[in-house]
């Protein structure tokens, strides 16, 4: 199980980051495999262009957020979590690579991976907010090509020094990059998003160790991904599949019951999913009960899977 540490603003102050670190330690003690933190650097008016989520505990999605929604820097938080845990994998989900320079971001990711002794999972993405790109002076329409150059550069940096690169957006010669990430292959890379487009298939086939989609893609999309990876010489079965839990809220103010949110897990495990994300604030309101919540989740999932 993977504990979602982003978006728990109904349960703890956005400024109380030490509580999130404590929750991560409690999740590890309870038997969770990983924690995840996603990010935005800034939000603009388009964050709430489609209105607000019906219940503030729901996931933040494109266009359903108050622009005041807090998004602490994920990599700093994960570094703090790495320092108080020893086994827990650290998922930097939705890392907005095009909004940074690839050398600077590689330095952050490599250092965190080395600090955590290879426990880092990076889910690089291009995201959806034109306002965020505009604020940082990055062309929104070129975000996919920017991401591809990041991935190409990281692959070089993890392997060797010096490195030279001449792309459409980034150019440098004889760069020495030390220390490198924990493994020669660099941090584990997962990819996700909605649909099964050609860009996703290409990135999964070349760099991916896991697939973390938005929701559960239909069978046709999964088949298309498998066929695309096979054509590229990869077996889709090699990928770790990460899914979510289904919180069903009784109204716009209450928490969701835990039992129904977990019922689908055996079915999804039969389909190959091995990691399931769960956000504690969807099910409880007490920040001091997260450890108990994690233990209850593990107890129920173990019973379902047996």
């Amino acid at each position: 199980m993977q504990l979602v540490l982003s978006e728990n603003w109904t349960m703890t102050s956005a400024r109380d980051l030490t509580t999130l670190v404590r929750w991560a330690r409690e999740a590890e003690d309870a038997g969770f495999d990983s924690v995840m933190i996603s990010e935005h650097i800034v939000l603009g008016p388009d964050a709430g262009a489609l209105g607000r989520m019906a219940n503030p505990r729901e996931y933040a999605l494109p266009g359903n957020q108050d622009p005041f929604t807090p998004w602490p820097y994920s990599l700093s938080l994960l570094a703090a979590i790495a320092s108080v845990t020893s086994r827990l994998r650290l998922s930097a989900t939705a890392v907005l690579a095009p909004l940074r320079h690839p050398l600077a971001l590689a330095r952050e990711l490599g250092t965190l991976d080395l600090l955590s002794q290879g426990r880092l999972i990076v889910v690089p993405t291009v995201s959806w907010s034109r306002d965020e790109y505009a604020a940082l002076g990055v062309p929104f329409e070129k975000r996919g090509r920017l991401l591809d150059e990041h991935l190409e550069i990281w692959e070089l940096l993890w392997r060797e020094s010096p490195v030279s690169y001449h792309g459409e957006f980034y150019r440098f010669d004889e760069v020495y990059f030390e220390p490198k990430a924990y493994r020669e292959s660099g941090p584990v890379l997962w990819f996700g998003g909605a649909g099964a487009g050609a860009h996703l298939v290409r990135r999964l086939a070349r760099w991916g160790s896991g697939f973390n989609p938005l929701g559960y893609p239909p069978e046709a999309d999964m088949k298309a991904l498998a066929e695309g990876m096979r054509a590229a010489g990869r077996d889709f079965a090699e990928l770790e599949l990460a899914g979510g839990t289904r919180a069903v809220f009784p109204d716009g103010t209450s928490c969701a019951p835990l039992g129904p949110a977990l019922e689908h897990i055996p079915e999804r495990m039969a389909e190959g999913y091995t990691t399931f994300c769960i956000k504690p604030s969807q099910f409880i309101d007490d920040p001091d009960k997260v450890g108990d919540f994690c233990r209850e989740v593990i107890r129920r999932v173990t019973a379902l899977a047996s």
Side-chain angles (χ1 to χ4, degrees):
M1 295 297 295
Q2 183 176 90
L3 192 69
V4 178
L5 293 179
S6 304
E7 309 175 32
N8 287 288
W9 41 73
T10 61
M11 201 159 61
T12 187
S13 165
R15 298 179 62 82
D16 184 12
L17 302 184
T18 56
T19 291
L20 301 183
V21 176
R22 173 171 60 85
W23 290 351
R25 190 176 64 248
E26 291 172 343
E28 179 176 73
D29 292 343
F32 269 60
D33 171 73
S34 56
V35 294
M36 66 157 279
I37 303 177
S38 53
E39 70 168 17
H40 283 286
I41 295 176
V42 297
L43 291 178
D46 67 350
L50 302 179
R52 301 292 185 268
M53 55 190 74
N55 187 308
R57 297 168 180 81
E58 292 182 5
Y59 280 106
L61 297 172
N64 77 348
Q65 305 169 50
D66 185 327
F68 281 97
T69 298
W71 291 99
Y73 192 53
S74 61
L75 301 182
S76 298
L77 262 175
L78 289 171
I81 290 168
S83 71
V84 299
T85 58
S86 60
R87 178 188 54 79
L88 203 67
R89 292 194 294 171
L90 313 169
S91 181
T93 302
V95 171
L96 307 183
L99 298 180
R100 283 91 136 184
H101 192 283
L103 295 177
L105 184 52
R107 172 59 65 217
E108 291 185 274
L109 296 176
T111 300
L112 179 52
D113 190 55
L114 190 58
L115 176 69
S116 65
Q117 296 187 305
R119 290 186 281 145
L120 180 62
I121 300 168
V122 181
V123 189
T125 189
V126 296
S127 198
W128 49 269
S129 172
R130 288 179 175 273
D131 288 349
E132 189 168 21
Y133 275 79
L136 287 153
V138 178
F140 183 79
E141 293 77 10
K142 298 179 180 179
R143 65 196 189 282
R145 302 205 304 279
L146 286 162
L147 173 57
D148 285 338
E149 292 200 6
H150 270 260
L151 296 168
E152 292 168 356
I153 290 166
W154 298 349
E155 186 177 39
L156 294 171
L157 293 174
W158 309 139
R159 269 201 327 251
E160 60 197 38
S161 282
V163 168
S164 298
Y165 184 85
H166 297 88
E168 180 183 358
F169 305 103
Y170 305 109
R171 293 172 173 266
F172 50 83
D173 290 294
E174 295 193 56
V175 165
Y176 290 78
F177 184 88
E178 303 293 339
K180 301 190 183 301
Y182 185 73
R183 298 184 188 87
E184 186 177 337
S185 56
V188 169
L189 294 181
W190 289 3
F191 295 91
H199 295 302
L200 174 60
V201 173
R202 176 174 49 77
R203 290 172 187 141
L204 273 172
R206 180 167 175 183
W207 294 291
S209 296
F211 180 42
N212 189 183
L214 180 62
Y216 288 95
E219 184 178 348
D221 281 2
M222 297 295 278
K223 183 178 179 181
L225 284 172
E227 291 175 350
M229 287 195 65
R230 186 163 51 250
R234 291 281 307 277
D235 185 350
F236 189 71
E238 298 172 7
L239 298 179
E240 184 170 354
L241 301 185
T245 49
R246 298 170 168 172
V248 180
F249 300 100
D251 51 52
T253 59
S254 302
C255 293
L258 179 59
L262 303 177
E263 288 176 349
H264 72 296
I265 285 181
E267 175 187 354
R268 296 303 183 182
M269 289 179 69
E271 296 171 352
Y273 287 87
T274 57
T275 297
F276 298 91
C277 311
I278 191 164
K279 185 167 70 157
S281 63
Q282 293 190 326
F283 304 96
I284 61 173
D285 279 332
D286 189 342
D288 294 325
K289 297 294 184 182
V290 168
D292 292 339
F293 170 78
C294 290
R295 286 185 287 274
E296 178 64 11
V297 168
I298 294 297
R299 184 189 70 78
R300 292 191 185 214
V301 170
T302 301
L304 286 169
S306 63

